[in-house]
Amino acid sequence: MTQAETTAADAEVAYRRIAFEQLESDPSWPRIVAEYADECRIAGMPPCDYQADMYRMLEAHGSMHLIGAYVGGELVGFCNLIVTRLPHYGKVVGTTESIFVAKQWRRTGAGLGLLRSAELVSREFGAVALLMTAPAGGSMERLMPTVGYRHTNTVFFKALAA
């Protein structure tokens, strides 16, 4: 059975913290980041143009932590977690900048595993909370209340430049 034929029940997903360099050099990354950019795009925003230098800077500063989800050694998803002290509260908080699982690997528990891994990493750095955003009307928005998260804010968008 090939990895593409593996069912959700069969898939064993492993999670590990990785460096940005590992993510960017992974053979699955171009496909996953293209799928992510297409699916998670905010209407009215310019196309995805991820800034590798900024990610490296945040990682070097100790603010950004990446978690990879793997099935049989293949990257199937990722979480980009920012952990920092919020000036308004004076407390450390984790925020998911991105969390994504390739479509063929959904319903394997990979997304929930990435979320739980983000919680663990956030706690490791003393975070008092983890903030998540989710596309309006999407599956993540429906899932979050069922796994212990509550709706606290709504994000609004207005394009300022064409």
Side-chain angles (χ1 to χ4, degrees):
M1 180 180 295
T2 67
Q3 287 181 343
E5 296 168 328
T6 301
T7 66
D10 296 332
E12 288 189 36
V13 185
Y15 308 93
R16 64 177 181 260
R17 289 180 55 183
I18 55 175
F20 180 74
E21 182 178 317
Q22 291 172 282
L23 182 69
E24 194 174 38
S25 66
D26 190 289
S28 297
W29 176 243
R31 177 183 43 78
I32 289 176
V33 75
E35 186 179 339
Y36 168 74
D38 181 55
E39 187 175 314
C40 297
R41 180 163 195 256
I42 297 172
M45 286 289 282
C48 180
D49 180 20
Y50 79 92
Q51 303 295 299
D53 289 344
M54 290 185 74
Y55 287 113
R56 285 187 192 96
M57 181 189 69
L58 288 167
E59 184 178 54
H61 182 264
S63 300
M64 184 186 80
H65 310 278
L66 292 166
I67 304 161
Y70 296 85
V71 173
E74 176 187 350
L75 179 71
V76 300
F78 67 95
C79 177
N80 180 355
L81 177 67
I82 306 293
V83 182
T84 191
R85 183 174 307 280
L86 295 181
H88 182 76
Y89 293 99
K91 301 292 181 190
V92 175
V93 173
T95 304
T96 57
E97 192 264 344
S98 304
I99 187 167
F100 184 76
V101 174
K103 191 170 190 166
Q104 78 179 72
W105 295 105
R106 294 183 189 155
R107 300 186 184 269
T108 62
L112 185 56
L114 282 169
L115 179 61
R116 296 301 186 219
S117 296
E119 291 171 358
L120 288 172
V121 173
S122 295
R123 281 189 190 103
E124 177 184 327
F125 288 93
V128 298
L130 178 61
L131 300 173
M132 291 278 304
T133 60
S139 58
M140 184 71 88
E141 182 182 45
R142 291 186 298 278
L143 171 71
M144 297 312 292
T146 70
V147 295
Y149 286 74
R150 62 187 171 85
H151 184 198
T152 61
N153 292 41
T154 301
V155 176
F156 294 92
F157 171 82
K158 178 181 180 180
L160 299 177

